[in-house]
Amino acid sequence: MDETEIPEDHPRYASLVTRHRIEAGVEQGITSKQGLIAQGRGEAFDYLLGERTLPSADAAARAAAATLLLAERPVISVNGNVAALAPSETVELAAAVDADLEVNLFNHTDERVRRIADHLRDHGASEVKGLAGDGEIPGLDHARGVVDADGIEAADVVVVPLEDGDRAAALDAMGKTEIVVDLNPGSRSPRTADVPILDNLLRAVPNVTTHARDLAGAPPDELEAIVDAFDADAALDAAEAAIREGSFASPDE
Ligand code: PTJ
């Protein structure tokens, strides 16, 4: 069955589509095999969170949009899971906030960087960084620390969806403002982030774009007020509380 054959009224439609995209990503050499495992972990947390955008995650998405609109050199980091799951949505977000796209991989291979860059171009990206690899994130071994000097290395704000904890910490140590999308409130990456969005990437990325379009043209002091009012710890706590309360999404699975 391919993605178009999944019946839209299936109770687990979104989850099945997601699995298909990740599977196809592996087949196309875009997503790593570890990406399948990461997806499984994410899916479990999404289930526990009720497969919905919490009000606190929506507030985080708005704070992320304001942060990106205020940024001087924003960069969206794209890995194998992001490229497989939401290529068009990620390209649209970059356009909405005038950010660069940079392929940046945990399990780095030049071949996969090239394939992901091509995939993003096929989905409308005009320029994709990550191919030069002439910069570094200090404190990581070479392969994990490779970035572009005029991309992530020079960025003031970095969106790192589904990032591993060590790299999130190393980017934080470089003084970057980090926006992390991750469904696990216990994971180090959202705990390191200035703006943790505890939501599925598939919902979070278009939601940030919607907020960015809504806020486009807003004066800087209004954007700064949104950023200042956002409480990262409260967002983490709200996601944990939602999991503990257990309003699971799909009793009819
Ligand atoms: O393509 P590469 O080489 O850069 O590798 C990418 C992965 C994601 C495989 C790599 O960064 C990795 O191993 O990540 P982790 O350490 O497994 O962390 C992934 C995090 O993303 C976990 O906390 C998951 O809960 C979360 N996650 C998985 N799928 C989603 C998600 N969060 C939001 N939306 C999802 N769809």
Side-chain angles (χ1 to χ4, degrees), residues 144-162:
R144 304 248 147 101
V146 176
V147 289
D148 277 14
D150 67 348
I152 288 176
E153 189 177 286
D156 55 347
V157 175
V158 191
V159 183
V160 275
L162 281 65

Side-chain angles (χ1 to χ4, degrees), residues 58-201:
D58 185 56
R62 194 162 179 83
T67 302
L68 285 163
L69 290 169
L70 285 166
E72 307 228 322
R73 298 191 69 156
V75 175
I76 303 173
S77 175
V78 180
N79 65 23
N81 285 50
V82 176
L85 288 178
S88 305
E89 294 84 347
T90 305
V91 171
E92 275 176 39
L93 173 59
V97 298
D98 200 15
D100 281 339
L101 290 163
E102 178 164 340
V103 182
N104 187 241
L105 302 182
F106 181 68
N107 297 297
H108 184 104
T109 69
D110 288 343
E111 178 61 23
R112 204 149 62 84
V113 173
R114 270 195 299 275
R115 282 180 196 245
I116 292 172
D118 288 345
H119 187 64
L120 291 173
R121 283 194 207 94
D122 289 345
H123 286 83
S126 48
E127 201 202 334
V128 181
K129 294 195 158 126
L131 297 146
D134 52 353
E136 64 160 344
I137 307 174
L140 298 174
D141 65 80
H142 177 70
R144 304 248 147 101
V146 176
V147 289
D148 277 14
D150 67 348
I152 288 176
E153 189 177 286
D156 55 347
V157 175
V158 191
V159 183
V160 275
L162 281 65
E163 185 56 283
D164 112 282
D166 280 349
R167 295 206 314 166
L171 286 166
D172 185 53
M174 287 175 88
K176 310 291 181 200
T177 297
E178 278 184 87
I179 298 167
V180 167
V181 181
D182 197 312
L183 282 153
N184 177 3
S187 174
R188 269 189 307 149
S189 314
R191 295 198 159 270
T192 306
D194 298 273
V195 184
I197 308 177
L198 281 304
D199 200 3
N200 195 319
L201 174 87

Side-chain angles (χ1 to χ4, degrees), residues 3-4 14 16 23 25 43 47 49 72 76 80 92 98 135 140 148 160 225-226 234 246:
E3 183 178 320
T4 55
L16 293 174
E23 216 182 318
E43 203 173 288
Y47 187 83
L49 283 164
E72 307 228 322
I76 303 173
E92 275 176 39
D98 200 15
L140 298 174
D148 277 14
V160 275
I226 292 169

